[in-house]
């Protein structure tokens, strides 16, 4: 009969925080396993030392590297993969011999723990059980008596090894946060906290629940003194603009005389296509509101609060911006491309029709549109009269879409089609193609631009008859030429400015 594998959390350091179940399993183990660094005592074994029975078989698993660099052919990841494979083979011998194996894990086994990698390799072959442990951040919040998250706050657990810009973005976008894996990453972590405007009110806890525990405001910590066993707590209460139930409802206020919401077009993607005016607005406002991927394009900085939301709540998003402006905040609502072309500008004006927002001005800052970007990449296909349509029927009936397609085709205009396809709308491109072919020749030039301006951009020149709707996705914009639209020998597409008399 095979032995059983147990991943047992022993908590952050204080032996009294080991659970009763963990203590029972450690005391009954045939083999006790723990990890350690080269030349270092295992912290997990130190915590559980009073529970390890005499005469038990001990397996010490010594990490081959303790930094993110290695001369292994596969780098750090390759070295660690080989290490965990070797460790699993060592434990497999005990398990196959019928011995119960307990792997000690600091904190909780499944929270940045090494046991996970043994579990990956052994759980399919042997009975395996995980015993939860008190994580270090739980001990740290108890030590500091900090309310980390309240009500509907979101808690993010972040590794300090993240790239600094990504860490700053996530700190700005969450309510409460725990940052682990510090040590030599602390200087970068503090810089990210400063960029996110979250240093004030954040606390550093070293060796939580241990005798050598140290607690300091983050701003007071010397980066040279930070060990690996330390974390940073960022309470949700420190996020700018946070509201709590126990606070009295604010009295109604008259909007400031300069209350304003600025709607900003970010362009199709590259920073170089962002206008100086748009850059200036984004550098001055205190709040940026928009669809998540667009908000992420705005660099985090101290004092900036970013409000990201889904793709179908445009008017709700606009109301949020108007409410902030009413309260005296400087607010920008962002859109990809040009905000006035199927973007947030009209949604803000729609929400602003409410008399409540009569005192809030709405200003629109233009951006390079997707149709301009695709046309420029192709050549000059919109050099003559052209029309722009969205193929989405989310805000208008499909029969209206068809009516307009026919009218544009009969007028022989170049046509730019936004939103040609989505996960739920898969047939519209083929249907639109059929409608257009009622009035346009199959050899009509068609340009398919995907992600133009970004690293993964592509541009395809084809014809209306040969267009394959299955190659078109939500990242595409289509340009359907007029009868006069031409393709040069070099593959450039253009539409003459002149129209011959009929």
């Amino acid at each position: 009969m095979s032995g059983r594998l147990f991943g047992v959390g022993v908590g952050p350091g204080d032996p009294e925080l080991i659970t009763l179940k963990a203590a029972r399993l450690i005391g009954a183990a045939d083999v006790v396993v723990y990890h350690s660094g080269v030349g270092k005592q295992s912290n997990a074994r130190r915590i559980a030392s009073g529970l390890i029975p005499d005469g038990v078989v001990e397996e010490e698993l010594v990490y081959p590297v303790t930094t993110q660099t290695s001369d292994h052919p596969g780098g750090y990841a390759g070295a660690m993969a080989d290490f965990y494979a070797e460790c699993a083979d060592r434990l497999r011998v005990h398990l196959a011999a019928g011995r119960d194996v307990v792997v000690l894990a600091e904190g909780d086994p499944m929270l940045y723990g090494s046991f996970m990698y043994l579990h990956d390799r052994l759980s399919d072959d042997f009975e395996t059980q995980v015993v939860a442990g008190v994580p270090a951040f739980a001990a740290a919040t108890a030590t500091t008596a900090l309310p980390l998250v309240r009500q509907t706050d979101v808690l993010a657990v972040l590794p300090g090894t993240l790239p600094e810009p990504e860490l700053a973005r996530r700190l700005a976008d969450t309510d409460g946060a725990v940052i682990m894996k510090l040590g030599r990453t602390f200087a970068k972590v503090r810089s990210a906290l400063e960029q996110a405007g979250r240093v004030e009110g954040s606390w550093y806890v070293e060796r939580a629940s241990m005798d050598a525990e140290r607690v300091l405001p983050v701003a007071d910590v010397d980066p040279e003194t930070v060990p690996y066993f330390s974390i940073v707590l960022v309470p949700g209460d420190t996020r700018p603009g946070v509201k709590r139930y126990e606070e009295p409802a604010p009295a109604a206020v008259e909007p400031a005389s300069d209350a304003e919401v600025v709607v900003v077009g970010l362009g199709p993607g590259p920073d170089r296509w962002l206008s100086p005016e748009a850059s200036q607005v984004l550098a001055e406002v205190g709040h940026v509101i928009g669809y998540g991927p667009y908000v992420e394009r705005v660099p985090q900085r101290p004092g900036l609060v970013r409000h990201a939301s889904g793709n179908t709540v445009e008017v709700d998003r606009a109301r949020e911006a108007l409410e902030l402006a009413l309260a005296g905040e400087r607010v920008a609502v962002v859109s990809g491309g040009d905000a006035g072309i199927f973007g947030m500008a009209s949604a803000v004006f729609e929400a602003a029709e409410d008399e409540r927002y009569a005192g809030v001005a709405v200003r629109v800052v233009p951006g390079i549109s997707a149709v301009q970007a695709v046309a420029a990449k192709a050549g000059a296909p919109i050099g003559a009269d052209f029309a722009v349509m969205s193929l989405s029927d989310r805000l208008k009936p499909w029969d209206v879409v068809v009516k307009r397609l026919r009218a544009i085709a009969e007028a022989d205009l170049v046509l730019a089609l936004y939103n040609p396809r989505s996960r739920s709308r898969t047939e519209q491109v083929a249907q639109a193609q059929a409608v257009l072919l009622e009035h346009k020749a199959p050899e009509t030039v068609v340009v398919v631009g995907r992600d133009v301006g970004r690293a993964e951009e592509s541009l395809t020149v084809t014809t209306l008859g040969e267009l394959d709707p299955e190659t078109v996705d939500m990242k595409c914009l289509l340009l359907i030429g007029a009868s006069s639209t031409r393709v040069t020998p070099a593959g450039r597409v253009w539409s003459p400015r002149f129209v011959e008399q009929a």
Side-chain angles (χ1 to χ4, degrees):
M1 181 177 177
S2 298
R4 296 169 295 174
L5 175 67
F6 298 93
V8 175
V10 296
D14 183 350
E16 292 186 348
L17 293 179
I18 297 176
T19 66
L20 294 173
K21 185 172 185 178
R24 174 175 59 80
L25 290 172
I26 294 169
D30 297 314
V31 181
V32 172
V33 181
Y34 43 84
H35 292 80
S36 66
V38 177
K40 296 182 179 180
Q41 180 187 16
S42 167
N43 197 48
R45 191 195 186 287
R46 180 194 60 77
I47 297 168
S49 59
L51 299 171
I52 298 174
D54 293 336
V56 72
V57 175
E58 297 190 30
E59 289 278 6
E60 183 177 17
L61 310 178
V62 182
Y63 294 113
V65 290
T66 55
T67 66
Q68 297 291 312
T69 58
S70 171
D71 57 5
H72 187 282
Y76 174 81
M80 293 304 293
D82 284 352
F83 168 66
Y84 288 124
E86 293 166 6
C87 293
D89 288 343
R90 287 170 62 180
L91 303 193
R92 189 181 297 275
V93 172
H94 293 296
L95 293 165
R99 304 183 191 105
D100 285 346
V101 176
V102 169
V103 180
L104 306 179
E106 298 146 4
D108 182 89
M110 296 308 217
L111 185 64
Y112 298 122
S114 292
F115 172 74
M116 294 183 289
Y117 305 102
L118 302 176
H119 181 276
D120 292 342
R121 290 165 170 82
L122 297 169
S123 59
D124 287 343
D125 300 324
F126 301 98
E127 180 183 345
T128 307
Q129 185 176 349
V130 179
V131 180
V134 177
F137 68 81
T141 54
T143 292
T144 57
L146 277 175
L148 194 55
V149 282
R150 306 175 190 250
Q151 300 164 12
T152 57
D153 284 352
V154 173
L155 175 65
V157 180
L158 306 171
T161 49
L162 282 175
E164 187 174 323
E166 177 68 5
L167 191 57
R169 180 186 70 80
R170 290 177 180 267
L171 286 167
D173 290 347
T174 192
D175 300 304
V178 171
I179 310 174
M180 305 178 72
K181 298 181 180 289
L182 297 181
R184 53 177 61 89
T185 70
F186 181 79
K188 176 185 70 176
V189 168
R190 185 163 70 183
S191 175
L193 284 162
E194 290 169 349
Q195 293 171 50
R198 305 297 295 271
V199 171
E200 186 175 351
S202 295
W203 286 81
Y204 165 86
V205 182
E206 179 181 310
R207 296 186 171 90
S209 83
M210 303 183 200
D211 293 339
E213 180 180 80
R214 190 166 70 116
V215 180
L216 289 169
V218 167
D220 295 346
V221 178
D222 178 359
E224 298 300 320
T225 67
V226 176
Y228 180 81
F229 291 109
S230 55
I231 61 176
V232 166
L233 302 177
V234 186
D237 290 346
T238 65
R239 191 175 190 195
V242 68
K243 299 287 193 299
R244 298 302 180 197
Y245 297 151
E246 63 271 15
E247 296 176 357
V253 295
E254 290 295 322
S257 59
D258 59 349
E260 179 185 56
V261 170
V262 187
V263 192
V264 178
L266 299 176
D271 291 343
R272 66 182 181 275
W273 288 354
L274 185 68
S275 74
E277 182 184 9
S279 296
Q280 181 178 348
V281 169
L282 296 176
E284 294 174 348
V285 296
H287 298 262
V288 170
I289 295 177
Y291 177 42
Y294 300 145
V295 171
E296 289 179 10
R297 288 172 52 188
V298 181
Q300 186 55 50
R301 56 175 170 76
L304 178 65
V305 181
R306 304 191 306 177
H307 308 257
S309 54
N311 195 29
T312 59
V313 291
E314 292 90 346
V315 177
D316 290 341
R317 192 184 298 149
R319 291 193 188 100
E320 181 182 9
L322 291 161
E323 287 292 336
L324 285 166
L326 271 181
E329 301 289 345
R330 305 185 71 178
V331 188
V333 177
V334 293
S335 269
D338 181 272
I341 301 178
F342 306 121
M344 279 300 300
S346 58
V348 174
F349 278 105
E350 179 182 341
E353 286 189 330
D354 189 323
E355 292 182 1
R356 173 177 174 78
Y357 307 120
V360 181
V362 178
R363 176 161 60 100
V364 181
V365 175
I368 293 176
S369 67
V371 62
Q372 289 174 289
V374 173
K377 188 72 177 178
I382 57 174
D385 297 340
F386 70 98
V388 178
M389 276 187 63
S390 170
L391 208 54
S392 171
D393 57 354
R394 186 170 69 85
L395 298 175
K396 58 182 180 288
W398 180 248
D399 59 351
V400 171
V401 175
V402 171
K403 181 179 179 180
R404 292 176 179 177
L405 285 171
R406 286 197 173 112
I408 292 167
E410 290 175 356
D412 195 21
L413 298 174
V414 176
L415 171 61
L417 285 177
Y418 278 69
N419 306 314
R421 189 183 185 122
S422 70
R423 292 185 181 90
S424 61
R425 297 183 299 103
T426 59
E427 302 299 325
Q428 277 86 340
V429 176
Q431 293 171 7
Q433 180 184 32
V435 171
L436 292 171
L437 282 169
E438 294 173 7
H439 304 278
K440 288 179 173 286
E443 59 269 21
T444 300
V445 179
V446 173
V447 176
V448 182
R450 177 184 287 105
D451 280 329
V452 169
R454 302 180 184 180
E456 58 273 25
E457 75 173 13
S458 67
L459 193 84
T460 302
V461 179
T462 183
T463 65
L464 187 58
E466 295 180 352
L467 173 66
D468 180 0
E470 293 303 313
T471 64
V472 178
D473 59 31
M474 66 181 69
K475 296 182 178 181
C476 293
L477 182 137
L478 302 184
L479 291 175
I480 316 294
S483 60
S484 60
T485 303
R486 307 172 186 180
V487 182
T488 71
R492 305 286 280 166
V493 180
W494 67 287
S495 297
R497 294 175 296 163
F498 53 86
V499 177
E500 295 181 0
Q501 186 69 37

